[in-house]
Amino acid sequence: MTNAKQIIAMIRSHAAGDSRQFLSIAEHIASDADKSGKTKVATEIRDAVTKIRDRADGNGGAPIPLSTPRGELAGLVKASYPEIRLSDVVLADDLRQRIERLVREHGSISALKEHGLKPSRKFLFSGPPGTGKGMTAAALAKELNLPLYTIMLDSVITKYMGETAAKLRLIFDAMNATRAVYFFDEVDALAASRSAENDIGEARRMLNSFLQFLEDDESRSVIIAATNHRSLLDAALFRRFHSAFVYSKPSAEEARRVLRNNLPTFDLSGMEWPKIDQLSPKLSQADIKAAAEEAGRAAVLDNHGVLTTELLFRALQDRANIQPN
């Protein structure tokens, strides 16, 4: 029934993380089983394939196998399986609700399909550095059971005519071949306004290629672009995305949550929060996390493991002092 070539092909597709090819071979085996009169075996194989595909559509099962980028693509993207959950990311309530809805959409593909709808896939994140854009991208990958492919723009963008477009094509082709979350950080490097004073021909061609690839993309992958400088983006970019999300520095209450999340083993019950609140909202989430870790180290090394208001305040003040004016 199952020949040696099919077994070898299945092993190779599994090793390469090519789940689509793996399931296609399984279906061929089921077909061969039918022809041999092994109808029960054929039915069991087809049922198993259907369940796996349903889980992949709803993301309720195991993560999609991580296929390591090869060839030229390996120099353009960094693949990973994030461990951070959405609950670990501190977001404003309205922003959290919108992000959580994205997760629900991708868990309800069948329900949406019944009404001729698809989940949204292309998102633009904007806001100051360190406010959680990258963390959200990683958390979405985790919640959707997808690998995270971070685009290395310094390798994508070149000064030679046509090379950047060719590299972008490789990335967008990969979106069709491997379903994942594709994260373009600091996308303004690719998509700065065409009206910029320093605009040059190659930059314009690069932008036009990126816009066209976004427009034409019909894959099942999730595309996230992030920028610290929304005002620099070309106006034509915005309509290529299904949704835009604006990030900001945390409020005093959100800053407290960041501190608690990053100091879980310390007793914070005696913390003088009003004093802490004077500094923390001036900092980004990344800055507050770094200050929490520094205060924790100081508590362990210099204060017998006791974290005081003064230690935390000093760490936050140090971070505030290195901020640009």
Side-chain angles (χ1 to χ4, degrees), residues 256-271 273 288-309 311-312 315:
R256 291 186 188 188
R257 285 159 51 195
V258 175
L259 290 169
R260 291 190 181 101
N261 285 353
N262 288 282
L263 294 165
T265 62
F266 292 93
D267 181 9
L268 303 182
S269 60
M271 199 63 58
W273 289 112
I288 296 169
K289 179 178 184 293
E293 293 173 348
E294 177 58 29
R297 286 190 288 265
V300 170
L301 298 177
D302 304 327
N303 203 40
H304 307 290
V306 177
L307 181 60
T308 64
T309 299
L311 284 175
L312 186 52

Side-chain angles (χ1 to χ4, degrees), residues 156-170:
V156 172
I157 299 172
T158 74
K159 62 181 179 180
Y160 299 107
M161 189 182 338
E163 279 196 9
T164 299
K167 291 180 177 183
L168 284 172
R169 182 178 294 280
L170 277 176

Side-chain angles (χ1 to χ4, degrees), residues 151-216:
I151 315 304
M152 295 184 287
L153 290 182
D154 58 336
S155 298
V156 172
I157 299 172
T158 74
K159 62 181 179 180
Y160 299 107
M161 189 182 338
E163 279 196 9
T164 299
K167 291 180 177 183
L168 284 172
R169 182 178 294 280
L170 277 176
I171 293 167
F172 278 87
D173 285 347
M175 293 178 189
N176 279 297
T178 304
R179 186 172 179 236
V181 173
Y182 289 79
F183 182 48
F184 291 81
D185 199 8
E186 298 185 6
V187 73
D188 40 283
L190 268 177
S193 172
R194 283 172 284 196
S195 63
E197 292 181 3
N198 62 348
D199 181 33
I200 58 175
E202 179 60 12
R204 191 180 303 114
R205 285 189 289 270
M206 178 176 67
L207 168 62
N208 289 338
S209 296
F210 186 53
L211 293 175
Q212 192 62 55
F213 286 135
L214 279 173
E215 182 81 18
D216 294 343

Side-chain angles (χ1 to χ4, degrees), residues 23-44:
L23 296 178
S24 177
I25 297 168
E27 288 178 326
H28 280 297
I29 293 173
S31 179
D32 289 345
D34 254 340
K35 293 175 183 177
S36 302
K38 308 288 186 180
T39 55
K40 184 177 179 182
V41 172
T43 300
E44 289 178 354

Side-chain angles (χ1 to χ4, degrees), residues 54-71:
D54 285 346
R55 285 204 307 269
D57 283 343
N59 296 290
I64 290 178
L66 180 57
S67 179
T68 303
R70 297 177 180 176

Side-chain angles (χ1 to χ4, degrees), residues 2-41:
T2 304
N3 61 46
K5 288 184 178 179
Q6 288 173 321
I7 293 174
I8 292 170
M10 289 188 79
I11 292 171
R12 285 176 175 168
S13 62
H14 176 72
D18 190 344
S19 58
R20 183 181 301 177
Q21 178 68 7
F22 184 91
L23 296 178
S24 177
I25 297 168
E27 288 178 326
H28 280 297
I29 293 173
S31 179
D32 289 345
D34 254 340
K35 293 175 183 177
S36 302
K38 308 288 186 180
T39 55
K40 184 177 179 182
V41 172

